[in-house]
């Protein structure tokens, strides 16, 4: 049964994403793993909460008792946003059901992934070099739309917008994230993803140093550096990288999580830390991997 990780500061909780069991995009990865197995193993490994995945029911009255039976809270859920391309009114209408579910399950943040402005036709299957970029003149207007959208979901649903910098999306590099958050109002929070920072070519500590006060949600993802380098150097796709194992859980890759622990301990951050690693469960047994991550995070936060 899920338990509070004793080495974490008060108000900080450890959750897990279902991506170690079932991939949201590559539907063959984990296709045979039922939701029940995912939830049971997440709780067995000790996590307090879990993010949404594609096998989760999307009705609060159905999902709530399922999570409660495993002692898990709902952490948040990814939302495919398109504000790089469309207006705020359209986005507000599109997000309603998703945001209402998060609110009903007691979430405080909503993960926003920018799917507008991406390479057309299966962008995650395109070579990494094919990523599209925002024109510098577009940042101010884009940030303003995000700000208005963030104010809406806060006022209507009590949710803070957690903007996910991400490979193959319009905010991948440190310069792009910086341009966006220099222009974005306070209603746009930052989701710090350690693995996507590495993939975007920078140390995640740069985001802590530059935008630590904007961080509202944290994804703990590790990287197998040699595999990622091969994917980048041969200009293969994000999905090929996932299948090859470029991402993994904390403690199984090249990243140092001690700076992350220092930030959480000293900054007053309150919220979730979420172990999240897109992997092939046939190659990386989920329970063993997420247990290793739990133990790694416990040890990192125990160290002084």
């Amino acid at each position: 049964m899920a338990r509070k990780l004793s080495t974490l500061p008060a108000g900080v909780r450890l959750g897990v994403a279902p991506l170690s069991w079932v991939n949201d995009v590559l539907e063959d990865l984990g296709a045979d793993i039922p939701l029940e197995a995912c939830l049971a193993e997440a709780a067995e490994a000790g996590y307090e909460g879990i993010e949404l995945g594609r096998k989760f029911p999307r009705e609060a009255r159905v999902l709530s008792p399922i999570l409660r039976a495993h002692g898990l809270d709902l952490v948040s859920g990814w939302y495919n946003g398109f504000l790089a391309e469309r207006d705020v009114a359209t986005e507000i209408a599109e997000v309603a059901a998703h945001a209402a579910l998060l609110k009903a399950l007691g979430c405080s943040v909503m993960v926003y992934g920018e799917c507008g402005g991406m390479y057309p036709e299966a962008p995650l299957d395109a070579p990494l070099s094919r990523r599209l970029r925002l024109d510098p003149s577009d940042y101010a207007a884009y940030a303003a739309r995000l700000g208005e959208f963030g104010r809406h979901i806060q006022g209507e649903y009590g949710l803070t917008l957690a903007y996910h910098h991400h490979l193959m999306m319009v905010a991948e590099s440190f310069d792009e994230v910086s341009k966006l958050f220099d222009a974005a109002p306070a209603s746009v929070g930052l989701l710090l993803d350690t693995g996507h920072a590495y993939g975007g070519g920078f140390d995640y500590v740069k985001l802590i140093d530059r935008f630590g006060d904007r961080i509202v949600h944290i994804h703990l993802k590790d990287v197998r550096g040699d595999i990622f380098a091969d994917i980048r150097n041969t200009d293969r796709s994000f999905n090929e990288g996932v299948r090859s194992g470029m991402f993994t859980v904390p403690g199984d890759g090249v990243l140092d999580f001690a700076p992350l622990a220092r930030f959480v301990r000293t900054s007053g951050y309150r919220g979730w830390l979420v172990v999240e690693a897109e992997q092939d469960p046939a190659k990386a047994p989920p329970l063993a991997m997420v247990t290793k991550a739990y133990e790694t995070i416990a040890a990192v936060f125990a160290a002084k």
Side-chain angles (χ1 to χ4, degrees):
M1 183 59 69
R3 61 194 183 274
K4 169 68 178 178
L5 183 56
S6 62
T7 57
L8 293 180
V12 179
R13 308 177 72 192
L14 186 61
V16 67
L19 292 172
S20 287
W21 291 267
V22 179
N23 195 278
D24 279 357
V25 176
L26 300 171
E27 295 192 0
D28 60 303
L29 300 188
D32 59 338
I33 299 178
L35 177 61
E36 172 66 24
C38 170
L39 299 179
E41 291 187 355
E44 181 181 345
Y47 293 91
E48 291 189 78
I50 192 163
E51 287 193 341
L52 282 174
R54 66 181 175 84
K55 292 193 177 183
F56 285 58
R58 298 305 171 109
E59 300 82 30
R61 62 179 179 80
V62 178
L63 181 55
S64 180
I66 293 173
L67 294 176
R68 191 166 56 247
H70 293 281
L72 295 169
D73 288 334
L74 187 65
V75 174
S76 183
W78 171 283
Y79 171 70
N80 289 330
F82 285 85
L83 284 168
E85 297 177 353
R86 65 189 181 195
D87 61 82
V88 178
T90 301
E91 207 68 66
I92 286 172
E94 290 292 328
V95 79
H98 180 73
L101 175 63
L102 298 185
K103 177 182 178 180
L105 272 293
C107 299
S108 60
V109 299
M110 186 186 81
V111 176
Y112 179 97
E114 183 55 70
C115 296
M118 295 181 73
Y119 188 82
E121 300 178 13
L124 297 183
D125 288 320
L128 292 178
S129 66
R130 298 285 183 89
R131 183 175 70 92
L132 302 183
R133 291 163 172 78
L134 280 182
D135 187 280
S137 64
D138 292 337
Y139 276 93
Y142 176 49
R145 292 194 295 276
L146 284 166
E148 183 180 346
F149 182 68
R151 288 189 293 273
H152 171 79
I153 66 166
Q154 180 65 60
E156 186 71 20
Y157 305 103
L159 298 169
T160 298
L161 180 66
Y163 188 98
H164 195 328
H165 61 100
H166 198 288
L167 288 170
M168 295 302 290
M169 296 183 181
V170 297
E172 176 183 290
S173 70
F174 179 72
D175 285 347
E176 289 165 338
V177 178
S178 296
K179 287 177 184 177
L180 177 57
F181 276 84
D182 282 341
S187 57
V188 182
L190 174 63
L191 187 158
L192 171 63
D193 188 298
T194 55
H196 279 280
Y198 182 99
F202 63 95
D203 188 331
Y204 73 83
V205 177
K206 293 181 71 173
L207 285 181
I208 289 175
D209 292 342
R210 183 74 173 79
F211 298 107
D213 60 340
R214 304 290 295 272
I215 295 172
V216 298
H217 200 50
I218 297 174
H219 279 175
L220 303 175
K221 185 188 280 93
D222 213 335
V223 180
R224 294 185 178 97
D226 55 343
I227 295 176
F228 180 80
D230 182 63
I231 295 295
R232 179 68 83 180
N233 292 338
T234 56
D235 199 22
R236 286 183 282 164
S237 72
F238 180 89
N239 280 339
E240 287 179 282
V242 170
R243 289 190 183 279
S244 298
M246 68 180 182
F247 291 134
T248 186
V249 299
D252 194 50
V254 299
L255 295 186
D256 179 8
F257 290 88
L260 186 284
R262 286 195 294 271
F263 165 71
V264 171
R265 283 198 300 260
T266 61
S267 68
Y269 175 84
R270 296 295 178 265
W272 288 96
L273 308 176
V274 183
V275 169
E276 188 214 46
E278 299 98 320
Q279 298 201 82
D280 182 346
K283 299 177 181 177
L287 179 57
M289 297 302 289
V290 300
T291 299
K292 180 174 187 173
Y294 185 98
E295 293 169 349
T296 296
I297 299 306
V300 168
F301 274 89
K304 300 300 182 184

